[in-house]
Amino acid sequence: MVNGAGTGRSGANSVQSVDRAVSVLEILAKHGEAGVTEVAAELGVHKSTAFRLLGVLEHRGLVEQAVDRGKYRLGVGIVRLAGATAARLDLSQETRPVCEQLAAELGETVNVAIADHDAAVNVAQVRGSAAVTSHNWVGRRTPLHATSSGKVLLAFLPPEQLRVALSRPLARFTDNTVTSTKSLREQLVRVRDTGCAFSVEELEIGLNAAAAPVRSYDGTVVGAISVSGPAYRLTAQRLAEVTEQVVRAGVEASRRMGFN
């Protein structure tokens, strides 16, 4: 009972700290700048508590101190988080018509994915007329090396980021999963050359896919658009046949994101 009570108090304190930290951000957003005394007064806490909260947020780049005035303001970390959210929303919204068109053309499921550290995360999905499964891929994290979208995202990483990404062991999901870094690097070269990546039963037996890059206004690859379907219908030969349409969809999605 004592241990349980302690854990409960610890959890409650953690939640309260998070709530107060968010309140600090809201205070700075409202006032532009605020000192420790002002923050403490609005929160109804001791100055030492406000100072500690500001210190943690400053360490994470979410607030910064205007040294000459001794006040705090929102930091560049907030811009980074907001930018990531905006990019996801823009990508999902802007590529929706392209996904619908490609799904209508091919009759298969079309997804848009972005990179999230060591995984690809699907942010949009449209099912084609032939897709009988109701499986929803949106929000699902999938391995970069075993999916067509993931290979696209890997292929266009800056060299140092790619080196780090490939420094970890490549997990095997099926007998077809590429677990050799050398073989994967060779595939990524072809992806950069052709603008299209493939996954042939590498994540799941019976599932094939092809993907192309989606670029932002400055040419940076911010996502991948893919078509996936059952291997008996979306055969290796069929994947080769739909390459042009998938690449064209990537180009159109990029155009909608501002890339000329």
mmCIF file of all heavy atoms in Angstrom, residues 23-74:
data_model
loop_
_atom_site.group_PDB
_atom_site.id
_atom_site.type_symbol
_atom_site.label_atom_id
_atom_site.label_comp_id
_atom_site.label_asym_id
_atom_site.label_seq_id
_atom_site.Cartn_x
_atom_site.Cartn_y
_atom_site.Cartn_z
ATOM 1 N N SER A 23 1.536 25.594 -19.038
ATOM 2 C CA SER A 23 1.016 26.910 -18.637
ATOM 3 C C SER A 23 2.069 27.990 -18.815
ATOM 4 O O SER A 23 1.763 29.120 -19.212
ATOM 5 C CB SER A 23 0.542 26.869 -17.176
ATOM 6 O OG SER A 23 -0.551 25.989 -17.020
ATOM 7 N N VAL A 24 3.331 27.658 -18.520
ATOM 8 C CA VAL A 24 4.423 28.615 -18.722
ATOM 9 C C VAL A 24 4.505 29.026 -20.188
ATOM 10 O O VAL A 24 4.636 30.213 -20.518
ATOM 11 C CB VAL A 24 5.772 28.019 -18.257
ATOM 12 C CG1 VAL A 24 6.923 28.928 -18.678
ATOM 13 C CG2 VAL A 24 5.786 27.838 -16.744
ATOM 14 N N LEU A 25 4.423 28.040 -21.077
ATOM 15 C CA LEU A 25 4.473 28.330 -22.516
ATOM 16 C C LEU A 25 3.311 29.222 -22.927
ATOM 17 O O LEU A 25 3.476 30.143 -23.740
ATOM 18 C CB LEU A 25 4.463 27.030 -23.314
ATOM 19 C CG LEU A 25 5.649 26.084 -23.100
ATOM 20 C CD1 LEU A 25 5.462 24.799 -23.900
ATOM 21 C CD2 LEU A 25 6.964 26.754 -23.489
ATOM 22 N N GLU A 26 2.148 28.951 -22.374
ATOM 23 C CA GLU A 26 0.969 29.762 -22.699
ATOM 24 C C GLU A 26 1.125 31.185 -22.175
ATOM 25 O O GLU A 26 0.716 32.154 -22.831
ATOM 26 C CB GLU A 26 -0.286 29.107 -22.120
ATOM 27 C CG GLU A 26 -0.653 27.800 -22.808
ATOM 28 C CD GLU A 26 -1.825 27.095 -22.156
ATOM 29 O OE1 GLU A 26 -2.106 27.375 -20.962
ATOM 30 O OE2 GLU A 26 -2.473 26.264 -22.826
ATOM 31 N N ILE A 27 1.717 31.344 -21.010
ATOM 32 C CA ILE A 27 1.946 32.676 -20.439
ATOM 33 C C ILE A 27 2.886 33.474 -21.338
ATOM 34 O O ILE A 27 2.637 34.651 -21.646
ATOM 35 C CB ILE A 27 2.537 32.558 -19.016
ATOM 36 C CG1 ILE A 27 1.474 32.033 -18.051
ATOM 37 C CG2 ILE A 27 3.078 33.906 -18.526
ATOM 38 C CD1 ILE A 27 2.030 31.610 -16.695
ATOM 39 N N LEU A 28 3.972 32.831 -21.781
ATOM 40 C CA LEU A 28 4.932 33.521 -22.643
ATOM 41 C C LEU A 28 4.329 33.828 -24.012
ATOM 42 O O LEU A 28 4.630 34.854 -24.620
ATOM 43 C CB LEU A 28 6.201 32.674 -22.800
ATOM 44 C CG LEU A 28 6.993 32.426 -21.505
ATOM 45 C CD1 LEU A 28 8.251 31.610 -21.807
ATOM 46 C CD2 LEU A 28 7.373 33.741 -20.840
ATOM 47 N N ALA A 29 3.474 32.927 -24.496
ATOM 48 C CA ALA A 29 2.807 33.178 -25.774
ATOM 49 C C ALA A 29 1.871 34.379 -25.654
ATOM 50 O O ALA A 29 1.729 35.173 -26.587
ATOM 51 C CB ALA A 29 2.027 31.943 -26.207
ATOM 52 N N LYS A 30 1.236 34.534 -24.496
ATOM 53 C CA LYS A 30 0.286 35.628 -24.287
ATOM 54 C C LYS A 30 0.993 36.973 -24.106
ATOM 55 O O LYS A 30 0.593 37.987 -24.673
ATOM 56 C CB LYS A 30 -0.580 35.325 -23.066
ATOM 57 C CG LYS A 30 -1.611 36.415 -22.737
ATOM 58 C CD LYS A 30 -2.553 35.967 -21.631
ATOM 59 C CE LYS A 30 -1.807 35.802 -20.321
ATOM 60 N NZ LYS A 30 -2.708 35.476 -19.189
ATOM 61 N N HIS A 31 2.076 36.969 -23.315
ATOM 62 C CA HIS A 31 2.741 38.233 -22.977
ATOM 63 C C HIS A 31 3.947 38.567 -23.860
ATOM 64 O O HIS A 31 4.414 39.705 -23.841
ATOM 65 C CB HIS A 31 3.200 38.203 -21.513
ATOM 66 C CG HIS A 31 2.080 38.096 -20.528
ATOM 67 N ND1 HIS A 31 1.105 39.044 -20.400
ATOM 68 C CD2 HIS A 31 1.779 37.125 -19.628
ATOM 69 C CE1 HIS A 31 0.247 38.699 -19.455
ATOM 70 N NE2 HIS A 31 0.632 37.511 -18.972
ATOM 71 N N GLY A 32 4.441 37.580 -24.582
ATOM 72 C CA GLY A 32 5.641 37.828 -25.375
ATOM 73 C C GLY A 32 6.892 37.577 -24.553
ATOM 74 O O GLY A 32 7.756 36.804 -24.932
ATOM 75 N N GLU A 33 6.983 38.235 -23.428
ATOM 76 C CA GLU A 33 8.097 38.055 -22.501
ATOM 77 C C GLU A 33 7.569 38.112 -21.075
ATOM 78 O O GLU A 33 6.566 38.779 -20.808
ATOM 79 C CB GLU A 33 9.164 39.138 -22.674
ATOM 80 C CG GLU A 33 9.973 39.032 -23.951
ATOM 81 C CD GLU A 33 11.068 40.104 -23.998
ATOM 82 O OE1 GLU A 33 10.992 41.064 -23.188
ATOM 83 O OE2 GLU A 33 11.985 39.983 -24.817
ATOM 84 N N ALA A 34 8.234 37.426 -20.158
ATOM 85 C CA ALA A 34 7.850 37.485 -18.749
ATOM 86 C C ALA A 34 9.029 37.047 -17.898
ATOM 87 O O ALA A 34 9.827 36.193 -18.309
ATOM 88 C CB ALA A 34 6.644 36.576 -18.477
ATOM 89 N N GLY A 35 9.142 37.661 -16.716
ATOM 90 C CA GLY A 35 10.192 37.289 -15.790
ATOM 91 C C GLY A 35 9.732 36.183 -14.860
ATOM 92 O O GLY A 35 8.556 35.795 -14.850
ATOM 93 N N VAL A 36 10.658 35.681 -14.058
ATOM 94 C CA VAL A 36 10.351 34.593 -13.129
ATOM 95 C C VAL A 36 9.239 35.002 -12.171
ATOM 96 O O VAL A 36 8.312 34.221 -11.901
ATOM 97 C CB VAL A 36 11.612 34.188 -12.342
ATOM 98 C CG1 VAL A 36 11.268 33.129 -11.296
ATOM 99 C CG2 VAL A 36 12.681 33.653 -13.283
ATOM 100 N N THR A 37 9.308 36.236 -11.658
ATOM 101 C CA THR A 37 8.300 36.708 -10.700
ATOM 102 C C THR A 37 6.914 36.729 -11.327
ATOM 103 O O THR A 37 5.929 36.294 -10.712
ATOM 104 C CB THR A 37 8.655 38.114 -10.193
ATOM 105 O OG1 THR A 37 9.952 38.070 -9.581
ATOM 106 C CG2 THR A 37 7.636 38.603 -9.179
ATOM 107 N N GLU A 38 6.839 37.203 -12.572
ATOM 108 C CA GLU A 38 5.546 37.262 -13.261
ATOM 109 C C GLU A 38 4.989 35.871 -13.523
ATOM 110 O O GLU A 38 3.794 35.605 -13.318
ATOM 111 C CB GLU A 38 5.705 38.010 -14.584
ATOM 112 C CG GLU A 38 6.150 39.449 -14.443
ATOM 113 C CD GLU A 38 6.614 40.009 -15.782
ATOM 114 O OE1 GLU A 38 5.745 40.446 -16.556
ATOM 115 O OE2 GLU A 38 7.828 39.995 -16.065
ATOM 116 N N VAL A 39 5.855 34.969 -13.958
ATOM 117 C CA VAL A 39 5.418 33.603 -14.235
ATOM 118 C C VAL A 39 4.928 32.937 -12.953
ATOM 119 O O VAL A 39 3.877 32.288 -12.929
ATOM 120 C CB VAL A 39 6.563 32.773 -14.865
ATOM 121 C CG1 VAL A 39 6.179 31.293 -14.940
ATOM 122 C CG2 VAL A 39 6.894 33.304 -16.261
ATOM 123 N N ALA A 40 5.687 33.123 -11.879
ATOM 124 C CA ALA A 40 5.311 32.527 -10.600
ATOM 125 C C ALA A 40 3.957 33.052 -10.130
ATOM 126 O O ALA A 40 3.116 32.286 -9.631
ATOM 127 C CB ALA A 40 6.384 32.816 -9.552
ATOM 128 N N ALA A 41 3.738 34.353 -10.309
ATOM 129 C CA ALA A 41 2.483 34.969 -9.873
ATOM 130 C C ALA A 41 1.302 34.412 -10.657
ATOM 131 O O ALA A 41 0.243 34.108 -10.083
ATOM 132 C CB ALA A 41 2.565 36.483 -10.032
ATOM 133 N N GLU A 42 1.467 34.263 -11.968
ATOM 134 C CA GLU A 42 0.361 33.756 -12.792
ATOM 135 C C GLU A 42 0.088 32.282 -12.508
ATOM 136 O O GLU A 42 -1.060 31.821 -12.572
ATOM 137 C CB GLU A 42 0.657 33.965 -14.276
ATOM 138 C CG GLU A 42 0.559 35.416 -14.707
ATOM 139 C CD GLU A 42 0.019 35.565 -16.124
ATOM 140 O OE1 GLU A 42 -0.797 34.719 -16.555
ATOM 141 O OE2 GLU A 42 0.408 36.533 -16.783
ATOM 142 N N LEU A 43 1.138 31.531 -12.199
ATOM 143 C CA LEU A 43 0.963 30.117 -11.904
ATOM 144 C C LEU A 43 0.479 29.886 -10.473
ATOM 145 O O LEU A 43 -0.075 28.838 -10.155
ATOM 146 C CB LEU A 43 2.284 29.356 -12.099
ATOM 147 C CG LEU A 43 2.767 29.103 -13.524
ATOM 148 C CD1 LEU A 43 4.114 28.380 -13.490
ATOM 149 C CD2 LEU A 43 1.761 28.284 -14.319
ATOM 150 N N GLY A 44 0.749 30.875 -9.612
ATOM 151 C CA GLY A 44 0.410 30.704 -8.206
ATOM 152 C C GLY A 44 1.368 29.776 -7.494
ATOM 153 O O GLY A 44 0.961 28.995 -6.620
ATOM 154 N N VAL A 45 2.650 29.857 -7.880
ATOM 155 C CA VAL A 45 3.667 28.997 -7.274
ATOM 156 C C VAL A 45 4.812 29.850 -6.750
ATOM 157 O O VAL A 45 4.911 31.050 -7.037
ATOM 158 C CB VAL A 45 4.222 27.969 -8.285
ATOM 159 C CG1 VAL A 45 3.104 27.075 -8.809
ATOM 160 C CG2 VAL A 45 4.926 28.669 -9.454
ATOM 161 N N HIS A 46 5.702 29.227 -5.990
ATOM 162 C CA HIS A 46 6.882 29.918 -5.475
ATOM 163 C C HIS A 46 7.829 30.226 -6.637
ATOM 164 O O HIS A 46 7.859 29.512 -7.645
ATOM 165 C CB HIS A 46 7.587 29.035 -4.449
ATOM 166 C CG HIS A 46 8.604 29.772 -3.631
ATOM 167 N ND1 HIS A 46 9.902 29.971 -4.048
ATOM 168 C CD2 HIS A 46 8.497 30.374 -2.420
ATOM 169 C CE1 HIS A 46 10.572 30.655 -3.124
ATOM 170 N NE2 HIS A 46 9.738 30.918 -2.116
ATOM 171 N N LYS A 47 8.614 31.287 -6.480
ATOM 172 C CA LYS A 47 9.549 31.689 -7.541
ATOM 173 C C LYS A 47 10.530 30.574 -7.884
ATOM 174 O O LYS A 47 10.908 30.405 -9.048
ATOM 175 C CB LYS A 47 10.314 32.949 -7.135
ATOM 176 C CG LYS A 47 9.492 34.221 -7.233
ATOM 177 C CD LYS A 47 10.275 35.433 -6.733
ATOM 178 C CE LYS A 47 11.529 35.667 -7.552
ATOM 179 N NZ LYS A 47 12.231 36.909 -7.125
ATOM 180 N N SER A 48 10.927 29.801 -6.888
ATOM 181 C CA SER A 48 11.883 28.722 -7.151
ATOM 182 C C SER A 48 11.286 27.669 -8.081
ATOM 183 O O SER A 48 11.974 27.092 -8.926
ATOM 184 C CB SER A 48 12.324 28.073 -5.834
ATOM 185 O OG SER A 48 11.216 27.484 -5.165
ATOM 186 N N THR A 49 9.977 27.422 -7.931
ATOM 187 C CA THR A 49 9.291 26.454 -8.800
ATOM 188 C C THR A 49 9.224 26.980 -10.225
ATOM 189 O O THR A 49 9.486 26.245 -11.189
ATOM 190 C CB THR A 49 7.864 26.176 -8.289
ATOM 191 O OG1 THR A 49 7.942 25.644 -6.966
ATOM 192 C CG2 THR A 49 7.133 25.189 -9.200
ATOM 193 N N ALA A 50 8.879 28.254 -10.364
ATOM 194 C CA ALA A 50 8.825 28.868 -11.698
ATOM 195 C C ALA A 50 10.200 28.867 -12.344
ATOM 196 O O ALA A 50 10.333 28.581 -13.541
ATOM 197 C CB ALA A 50 8.289 30.297 -11.583
ATOM 198 N N PHE A 51 11.227 29.151 -11.563
ATOM 199 C CA PHE A 51 12.603 29.176 -12.086
ATOM 200 C C PHE A 51 13.011 27.790 -12.576
ATOM 201 O O PHE A 51 13.644 27.644 -13.629
ATOM 202 C CB PHE A 51 13.555 29.663 -10.993
ATOM 203 C CG PHE A 51 14.973 29.805 -11.463
ATOM 204 C CD1 PHE A 51 15.376 30.884 -12.245
ATOM 205 C CD2 PHE A 51 15.924 28.844 -11.128
ATOM 206 C CE1 PHE A 51 16.685 31.002 -12.686
ATOM 207 C CE2 PHE A 51 17.229 28.953 -11.570
ATOM 208 C CZ PHE A 51 17.612 30.038 -12.345
ATOM 209 N N ARG A 52 12.625 26.765 -11.798
ATOM 210 C CA ARG A 52 12.957 25.398 -12.184
ATOM 211 C C ARG A 52 12.243 24.997 -13.478
ATOM 212 O O ARG A 52 12.838 24.383 -14.371
ATOM 213 C CB ARG A 52 12.581 24.443 -11.052
ATOM 214 C CG ARG A 52 13.026 23.000 -11.289
ATOM 215 C CD ARG A 52 12.877 22.143 -10.038
ATOM 216 N NE ARG A 52 11.487 22.049 -9.605
ATOM 217 C CZ ARG A 52 10.997 22.654 -8.523
ATOM 218 N NH1 ARG A 52 11.779 23.411 -7.770
ATOM 219 N NH2 ARG A 52 9.725 22.497 -8.193
ATOM 220 N N LEU A 53 10.979 25.350 -13.606
ATOM 221 C CA LEU A 53 10.228 25.041 -14.823
ATOM 222 C C LEU A 53 10.834 25.737 -16.035
ATOM 223 O O LEU A 53 11.010 25.136 -17.098
ATOM 224 C CB LEU A 53 8.768 25.472 -14.655
ATOM 225 C CG LEU A 53 7.909 24.627 -13.708
ATOM 226 C CD1 LEU A 53 6.593 25.348 -13.418
ATOM 227 C CD2 LEU A 53 7.646 23.247 -14.301
ATOM 228 N N LEU A 54 11.167 27.002 -15.864
ATOM 229 C CA LEU A 54 11.769 27.757 -16.962
ATOM 230 C C LEU A 54 13.125 27.170 -17.346
ATOM 231 O O LEU A 54 13.485 27.121 -18.533
ATOM 232 C CB LEU A 54 11.922 29.230 -16.571
ATOM 233 C CG LEU A 54 10.618 30.035 -16.554
ATOM 234 C CD1 LEU A 54 10.794 31.323 -15.761
ATOM 235 C CD2 LEU A 54 10.175 30.345 -17.988
ATOM 236 N N GLY A 55 13.858 26.707 -16.354
ATOM 237 C CA GLY A 55 15.164 26.108 -16.632
ATOM 238 C C GLY A 55 15.058 24.852 -17.478
ATOM 239 O O GLY A 55 15.845 24.641 -18.412
ATOM 240 N N VAL A 56 14.086 24.008 -17.157
ATOM 241 C CA VAL A 56 13.879 22.774 -17.933
ATOM 242 C C VAL A 56 13.468 23.115 -19.360
ATOM 243 O O VAL A 56 13.990 22.546 -20.328
ATOM 244 C CB VAL A 56 12.804 21.890 -17.264
ATOM 245 C CG1 VAL A 56 12.439 20.711 -18.171
ATOM 246 C CG2 VAL A 56 13.294 21.383 -15.913
ATOM 247 N N LEU A 57 12.539 24.047 -19.505
ATOM 248 C CA LEU A 57 12.076 24.438 -20.843
ATOM 249 C C LEU A 57 13.196 25.098 -21.642
ATOM 250 O O LEU A 57 13.300 24.897 -22.855
ATOM 251 C CB LEU A 57 10.881 25.391 -20.716
ATOM 252 C CG LEU A 57 9.600 24.765 -20.148
ATOM 253 C CD1 LEU A 57 8.570 25.847 -19.841
ATOM 254 C CD2 LEU A 57 9.019 23.750 -21.130
ATOM 255 N N GLU A 58 14.031 25.849 -20.953
ATOM 256 C CA GLU A 58 15.161 26.493 -21.630
ATOM 257 C C GLU A 58 16.156 25.438 -22.114
ATOM 258 O O GLU A 58 16.696 25.541 -23.222
ATOM 259 C CB GLU A 58 15.848 27.480 -20.688
ATOM 260 C CG GLU A 58 16.990 28.253 -21.359
ATOM 261 C CD GLU A 58 17.621 29.267 -20.433
ATOM 262 O OE1 GLU A 58 17.517 29.096 -19.191
ATOM 263 O OE2 GLU A 58 18.238 30.230 -20.925
ATOM 264 N N HIS A 59 16.394 24.444 -21.285
ATOM 265 C CA HIS A 59 17.316 23.367 -21.652
ATOM 266 C C HIS A 59 16.845 22.636 -22.908
ATOM 267 O O HIS A 59 17.658 22.208 -23.726
ATOM 268 C CB HIS A 59 17.443 22.374 -20.492
ATOM 269 C CG HIS A 59 18.321 21.190 -20.798
ATOM 270 N ND1 HIS A 59 19.689 21.296 -20.961
ATOM 271 C CD2 HIS A 59 18.010 19.870 -20.997
ATOM 272 C CE1 HIS A 59 20.185 20.102 -21.238
ATOM 273 N NE2 HIS A 59 19.191 19.218 -21.269
ATOM 274 N N ARG A 60 15.531 22.512 -23.078
ATOM 275 C CA ARG A 60 14.981 21.841 -24.257
ATOM 276 C C ARG A 60 14.768 22.790 -25.432
ATOM 277 O O ARG A 60 14.255 22.393 -26.471
ATOM 278 C CB ARG A 60 13.643 21.166 -23.902
ATOM 279 C CG ARG A 60 13.745 20.110 -22.812
ATOM 280 C CD ARG A 60 14.746 19.012 -23.180
ATOM 281 N NE ARG A 60 14.313 18.261 -24.330
ATOM 282 C CZ ARG A 60 13.630 17.130 -24.268
ATOM 283 N NH1 ARG A 60 13.295 16.631 -23.091
ATOM 284 N NH2 ARG A 60 13.280 16.488 -25.364
ATOM 285 N N GLY A 61 15.160 24.041 -25.271
ATOM 286 C CA GLY A 61 15.050 24.997 -26.377
ATOM 287 C C GLY A 61 13.665 25.555 -26.596
ATOM 288 O O GLY A 61 13.407 26.229 -27.587
ATOM 289 N N LEU A 62 12.746 25.267 -25.654
ATOM 290 C CA LEU A 62 11.369 25.724 -25.826
ATOM 291 C C LEU A 62 11.172 27.155 -25.337
ATOM 292 O O LEU A 62 10.224 27.826 -25.735
ATOM 293 C CB LEU A 62 10.404 24.781 -25.098
ATOM 294 C CG LEU A 62 10.419 23.335 -25.621
ATOM 295 C CD1 LEU A 62 9.494 22.464 -24.788
ATOM 296 C CD2 LEU A 62 10.021 23.284 -27.088
ATOM 297 N N VAL A 63 12.063 27.619 -24.444
ATOM 298 C CA VAL A 63 12.080 29.027 -24.061
ATOM 299 C C VAL A 63 13.524 29.496 -24.092
ATOM 300 O O VAL A 63 14.463 28.691 -24.053
ATOM 301 C CB VAL A 63 11.471 29.283 -22.652
ATOM 302 C CG1 VAL A 63 10.087 28.686 -22.530
ATOM 303 C CG2 VAL A 63 12.390 28.765 -21.558
ATOM 304 N N GLU A 64 13.717 30.788 -24.183
ATOM 305 C CA GLU A 64 15.052 31.370 -24.139
ATOM 306 C C GLU A 64 15.016 32.631 -23.311
ATOM 307 O O GLU A 64 13.959 33.259 -23.149
ATOM 308 C CB GLU A 64 15.564 31.661 -25.555
ATOM 309 C CG GLU A 64 14.707 32.631 -26.343
ATOM 310 C CD GLU A 64 15.144 32.743 -27.803
ATOM 311 O OE1 GLU A 64 15.776 31.786 -28.299
ATOM 312 O OE2 GLU A 64 14.864 33.781 -28.416
ATOM 313 N N GLN A 65 16.178 33.009 -22.799
ATOM 314 C CA GLN A 65 16.249 34.147 -21.908
ATOM 315 C C GLN A 65 16.814 35.361 -22.631
ATOM 316 O O GLN A 65 17.835 35.271 -23.312
ATOM 317 C CB GLN A 65 17.110 33.808 -20.692
ATOM 318 C CG GLN A 65 17.001 34.804 -19.569
ATOM 319 C CD GLN A 65 17.684 34.318 -18.309
ATOM 320 O OE1 GLN A 65 17.776 35.044 -17.333
ATOM 321 N NE2 GLN A 65 18.175 33.096 -18.327
ATOM 322 N N ALA A 66 16.101 36.480 -22.495
ATOM 323 C CA ALA A 66 16.625 37.749 -23.007
ATOM 324 C C ALA A 66 17.545 38.300 -21.920
ATOM 325 O O ALA A 66 17.095 38.904 -20.948
ATOM 326 C CB ALA A 66 15.474 38.718 -23.288
ATOM 327 N N VAL A 67 18.849 38.031 -22.074
ATOM 328 C CA VAL A 67 19.805 38.274 -20.998
ATOM 329 C C VAL A 67 19.790 39.716 -20.506
ATOM 330 O O VAL A 67 19.855 39.976 -19.311
ATOM 331 C CB VAL A 67 21.233 37.895 -21.465
ATOM 332 C CG1 VAL A 67 22.236 38.117 -20.339
ATOM 333 C CG2 VAL A 67 21.265 36.447 -21.934
ATOM 334 N N ASP A 68 19.667 40.654 -21.434
ATOM 335 C CA ASP A 68 19.754 42.055 -21.044
ATOM 336 C C ASP A 68 18.554 42.510 -20.220
ATOM 337 O O ASP A 68 18.617 43.512 -19.515
ATOM 338 C CB ASP A 68 19.891 42.949 -22.284
ATOM 339 C CG ASP A 68 18.763 42.745 -23.281
ATOM 340 O OD1 ASP A 68 18.205 41.634 -23.310
ATOM 341 O OD2 ASP A 68 18.447 43.693 -24.018
ATOM 342 N N ARG A 69 17.443 41.758 -20.290
ATOM 343 C CA ARG A 69 16.252 42.175 -19.559
ATOM 344 C C ARG A 69 15.844 41.178 -18.468
ATOM 345 O O ARG A 69 14.930 41.442 -17.699
ATOM 346 C CB ARG A 69 15.073 42.363 -20.529
ATOM 347 C CG ARG A 69 15.273 43.537 -21.481
ATOM 348 C CD ARG A 69 14.033 43.772 -22.319
ATOM 349 N NE ARG A 69 13.736 42.654 -23.216
ATOM 350 C CZ ARG A 69 14.348 42.452 -24.372
ATOM 351 N NH1 ARG A 69 15.307 43.277 -24.771
ATOM 352 N NH2 ARG A 69 14.023 41.427 -25.144
ATOM 353 N N GLY A 70 16.522 40.035 -18.408
ATOM 354 C CA GLY A 70 16.206 39.051 -17.390
ATOM 355 C C GLY A 70 14.839 38.433 -17.545
ATOM 356 O O GLY A 70 14.271 37.924 -16.584
ATOM 357 N N LYS A 71 14.302 38.515 -18.730
ATOM 358 C CA LYS A 71 12.987 37.933 -18.993
ATOM 359 C C LYS A 71 13.121 36.740 -19.932
ATOM 360 O O LYS A 71 14.138 36.563 -20.601
ATOM 361 C CB LYS A 71 12.050 38.981 -19.601
ATOM 362 C CG LYS A 71 11.671 40.106 -18.635
ATOM 363 C CD LYS A 71 10.720 41.088 -19.289
ATOM 364 C CE LYS A 71 10.311 42.188 -18.334
ATOM 365 N NZ LYS A 71 9.438 41.708 -17.255
ATOM 366 N N TYR A 72 12.060 35.940 -19.985
ATOM 367 C CA TYR A 72 12.032 34.753 -20.843
ATOM 368 C C TYR A 72 11.012 34.950 -21.964
ATOM 369 O O TYR A 72 10.028 35.675 -21.805
ATOM 370 C CB TYR A 72 11.662 33.510 -20.031
ATOM 371 C CG TYR A 72 12.726 33.072 -19.064
ATOM 372 C CD1 TYR A 72 12.822 33.649 -17.802
ATOM 373 C CD2 TYR A 72 13.640 32.084 -19.412
ATOM 374 C CE1 TYR A 72 13.800 33.246 -16.897
ATOM 375 C CE2 TYR A 72 14.622 31.673 -18.516
ATOM 376 C CZ TYR A 72 14.699 32.262 -17.258
ATOM 377 O OH TYR A 72 15.667 31.857 -16.378
ATOM 378 N N ARG A 73 11.277 34.281 -23.082
ATOM 379 C CA ARG A 73 10.352 34.290 -24.222
ATOM 380 C C ARG A 73 10.381 32.907 -24.861
ATOM 381 O O ARG A 73 11.253 32.088 -24.546
ATOM 382 C CB ARG A 73 10.772 35.353 -25.234
ATOM 383 C CG ARG A 73 12.156 35.123 -25.818
ATOM 384 C CD ARG A 73 12.698 36.346 -26.522
ATOM 385 N NE ARG A 73 14.075 36.146 -26.956
ATOM 386 C CZ ARG A 73 14.944 37.122 -27.159
ATOM 387 N NH1 ARG A 73 14.584 38.391 -26.959
ATOM 388 N NH2 ARG A 73 16.166 36.858 -27.553
ATOM 389 N N LEU A 74 9.437 32.644 -25.737
ATOM 390 C CA LEU A 74 9.409 31.355 -26.420
ATOM 391 C C LEU A 74 10.668 31.182 -27.253
ATOM 392 O O LEU A 74 11.141 32.121 -27.892
ATOM 393 C CB LEU A 74 8.170 31.247 -27.314
ATOM 394 C CG LEU A 74 6.818 31.224 -26.595
ATOM 395 C CD1 LEU A 74 5.686 31.144 -27.605
ATOM 396 C CD2 LEU A 74 6.725 30.057 -25.613
#
